[in-house]
């Protein structure tokens, strides 16, 4: 059997089994008729196209750049397939390293027999959970597949990216919030289009981010069984089989268990970049909104309440384990940084952030925007 990406051996993760498991377990989307579904897909495509002009005009970024990254309106299984392909691409160095260690570890024989399939099943369970929660996503390192096109590869040969809009999740949330559907769909597209503009208008950004991720993975010295145990804990949370007493045991996220001192430095830089990208998208979404989304104030208020409230206790345990609580902080902290800088030096002054890796904010500067302004905009001494 040929795996996603063309390799036959499942290795540390049976990726095909992950897709099959997630697809089997994924929750059905909201009920819509066939005609409604076609209309929703068509409208999301129109909004994605319209968002290009809105975002470029507001941000003053990429006005002369031609997008080569496709916009794909997908269902939940489509989101799973796209993300498995992306995960496989970016995690390959780490998994190859773990495969080498597995061969020499005391439990290598057992892990070799069942590890790939066990991890595939449990990863599939997590993906099925996440697939009903993501509204849209810019896949930075997505490789092109037969069913999922992507943009031109980066200088390092990694996949060229694509923008995903998860139609059933957008419909589900707009109904849950009881907001104007057309406005909400455009509002979501504005956020995701901002990410596409960030990477298309700043050519060095993708390779820089990839380099940081690969440096982080290269520093990993973690026992494969530890990673599998963390995935197993998450899967047990999903199935309800994890004891209640373990919920607040101070357990660390999947990201935190692989941190060496060097990794902590890299993770600090990555956190700052992701906070910038997410906060910028939120800032743009709200900045453009009043002109093109009549009910933007209502949407933002209800959406923020939904974010803050979260969902069930199970949801919160999983968010902690997967590091998703950190992502929610990135939206908030990053948006505050962008707003403060734009208020201080204007949009053109803020856009100096995209000049080079040296002008990206540090993690400390995300919390103190005035320090970034002082560093990047300081006048040379005469």
């Amino acid at each position: 059997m040929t795996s996603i990406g063309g390799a036959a051996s499942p290795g540390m993760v049976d990726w095909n089994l992950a897709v099959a498991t997630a697809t089997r377990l994924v929750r059905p989307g909201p009920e819509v008729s066939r005609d409604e579904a076609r209309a929703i897909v068509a409208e999301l495509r129109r909004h994605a196209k319209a968002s290009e002009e809105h975002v470029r005009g507001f941000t003053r970024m990429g006005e002369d750049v031609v997008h080569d990254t496709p916009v794909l309106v997908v269902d939940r299984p489509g989101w799973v397939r796209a993300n498995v392909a992306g995960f496989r691409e970016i995690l390959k160095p780490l998994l190859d390293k773990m495969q080498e260690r597995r061969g020499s570890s005391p439990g290598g024989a057992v892990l070799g027999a069942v590890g790939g399939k066990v991890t595939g099943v449990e990863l599939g369970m997590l993906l099925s959970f996440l697939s009903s929660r993501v509204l849209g996503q810019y896949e930075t390192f997505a490789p092109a597949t037969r069913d999922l096109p992507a943009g031109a590869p980066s200088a390092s040969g990694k996949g060229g990216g694509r923008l995903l809009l998860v139609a059933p999740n957008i419909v589900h949330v707009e109904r849950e919030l009881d907001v104007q559907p057309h406005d909400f769909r455009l509002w979501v597209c504005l956020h995701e289009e901002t990410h596409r503009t960030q990477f298309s208008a700043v050519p060095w950004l993708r390779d820089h981010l990839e380099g940081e991720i690969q440096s982080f993975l290269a520093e990993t010295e973690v026992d494969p069984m530890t990673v599998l145990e963390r995935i197993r804990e998450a899967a047990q949370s999903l199935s309800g089989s994890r004891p209640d007493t373990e919920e607040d045991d101070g357990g660390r996220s999947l990201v935190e268990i692989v941190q060496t001192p060097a990794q902590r430095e890299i993770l600090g830089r990555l956190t700052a970049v992701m906070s910038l990208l997410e906060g910028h998208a939120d800032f743009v979404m709200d900045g453009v909104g009043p002109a093109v989304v009549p009910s933007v104030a209502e949407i933002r208020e209800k959406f923020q309440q939904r974010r803050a409230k979260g969902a069930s206790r199970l949801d919160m345990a999983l968010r902690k384990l997967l590091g998703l609580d950190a992502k929610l902080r990135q939206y908030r902290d990053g948006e505050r940084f962008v707003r403060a800088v734009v208020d201080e030096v204007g949009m053109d002054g803020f856009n100096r952030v995209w000049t080079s890796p040296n002008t990206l904010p540090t993690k400390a500067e995300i919390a103190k925007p005035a320090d970034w302004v002082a560093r990047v905009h300081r006048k040379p001494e005469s």
Side-chain angles (χ1 to χ4, degrees):
M1 179 172 65
T2 301
S3 302
I4 291 174
S9 172
M12 290 296 299
V13 181
D14 188 331
W15 297 103
N16 280 348
L17 188 56
V19 171
T21 301
T23 301
R24 186 176 70 252
L25 297 177
V26 71
R27 299 175 183 177
E31 290 189 12
V32 295
S33 69
R34 188 178 297 273
D35 288 344
E36 282 180 302
R38 288 198 191 98
I40 291 165
V41 169
E43 182 176 21
L44 286 171
R45 287 177 176 152
R46 288 196 305 272
H47 285 331
K49 181 64 178 175
S51 294
E52 285 187 41
E53 183 178 348
H54 297 318
V55 169
R56 291 182 181 204
F58 183 79
T59 63
R60 302 174 200 165
M61 293 175 64
E63 294 171 301
D64 300 322
V65 174
V66 177
H67 277 312
D68 72 339
T69 51
V71 177
L72 306 179
V73 182
V74 298
D75 58 10
R76 290 168 179 174
W79 179 87
V80 168
R81 290 192 297 272
N83 274 265
V84 165
F87 289 160
R88 182 167 193 162
E89 179 108 344
I90 202 70
L91 292 177
K92 186 177 186 304
L94 174 63
L95 294 179
D96 286 349
K97 186 175 185 177
M98 290 171 65
Q99 179 103 11
E100 291 177 9
R101 290 196 61 178
R102 182 179 74 179
S104 59
S105 66
V110 175
L111 193 59
V114 299
K117 292 192 179 299
V118 169
T119 310
V121 168
E122 294 177 338
L123 179 61
M125 293 173 68
L126 294 179
L127 287 169
S128 71
F129 170 81
L130 295 171
S131 69
S132 63
R133 284 155 173 77
V134 177
L135 302 182
Q137 175 184 3
Y138 183 80
E139 277 200 294
T140 313
F141 310 111
T145 66
R146 183 179 58 188
D147 301 322
L148 296 163
S154 66
S156 63
K158 286 288 187 290
R162 54 183 164 239
L163 193 155
L164 305 177
L165 297 169
V166 191
N169 296 350
I170 293 172
V171 173
H172 171 78
V173 173
E174 72 192 24
R175 291 179 179 178
E176 178 186 324
L177 298 181
D178 191 24
V179 293
Q180 215 287 333
H182 305 294
D183 286 2
F184 184 74
R185 293 166 195 174
L186 176 55
W187 189 71
V188 170
C189 288
L190 289 170
H191 182 102
E192 302 309 330
E193 177 58 35
T194 301
H195 288 317
R196 192 163 72 131
T197 296
Q198 290 163 348
F199 284 93
S200 61
V202 186
W204 55 264
L205 183 58
R206 181 171 50 167
D207 285 338
H208 171 72
L209 196 58
E210 181 192 341
E212 292 280 54
I213 292 171
Q214 293 304 335
S215 295
F216 181 89
L217 296 179
E219 287 287 334
T220 298
E221 294 293 345
V222 63
D223 177 64
M225 291 302 294
T226 306
V227 174
L228 293 180
E229 183 58 31
R230 286 294 183 269
I231 293 175
R232 189 164 295 113
E233 287 176 11
Q236 288 171 351
S237 293
L238 276 175
S239 65
S241 60
R242 192 177 181 203
D244 288 343
T245 54
E246 295 184 19
E247 183 188 356
D248 295 317
D249 64 356
R252 294 173 294 169
S253 74
L254 284 167
V255 170
E256 290 172 319
I257 65 169
V258 291
Q259 286 189 55
T260 65
Q263 282 180 310
R264 281 192 286 274
E265 290 186 21
I266 299 168
L267 189 62
R269 296 195 298 268
L270 281 170
T271 299
V273 174
M274 297 311 297
S275 297
L276 170 69
L277 298 179
E278 295 294 355
H280 184 234
D282 265 13
F283 176 79
V284 171
M285 184 167 59
D286 289 344
V288 174
V292 298
V293 182
S295 60
V296 65
E298 178 191 3
I299 290 173
R300 166 54 82 187
E301 181 181 1
K302 289 183 175 180
F303 197 77
Q304 289 287 56
Q305 289 173 354
R306 183 178 185 270
R307 267 186 189 169
K309 183 172 59 176
S312 64
R313 207 176 75 179
L314 167 63
D315 234 5
M316 296 188 67
L318 274 167
R319 283 180 180 179
K320 180 178 180 182
L321 186 58
L322 298 173
L324 299 182
D325 52 344
K327 186 173 178 64
L328 295 178
R329 288 195 299 273
Q330 287 168 9
Y331 286 111
R332 182 184 66 243
D333 298 345
E335 196 274 342
R336 278 203 298 255
F337 169 84
V338 175
R339 187 172 300 281
V341 172
V342 172
D343 286 347
E344 179 71 19
V345 296
M347 186 65 74
D348 290 335
F350 166 78
N351 280 342
R352 289 181 64 175
V353 79
W354 311 115
T355 304
S356 76
N358 293 329
T359 55
L360 291 171
T362 64
K363 189 176 179 181
E365 287 170 342
I366 287 288
K368 295 183 177 180
D371 289 355
W372 180 88
V373 173
R375 176 171 67 87
V376 175
H377 286 269
R378 64 172 176 251
K379 295 179 180 178
E381 296 181 6
S382 54

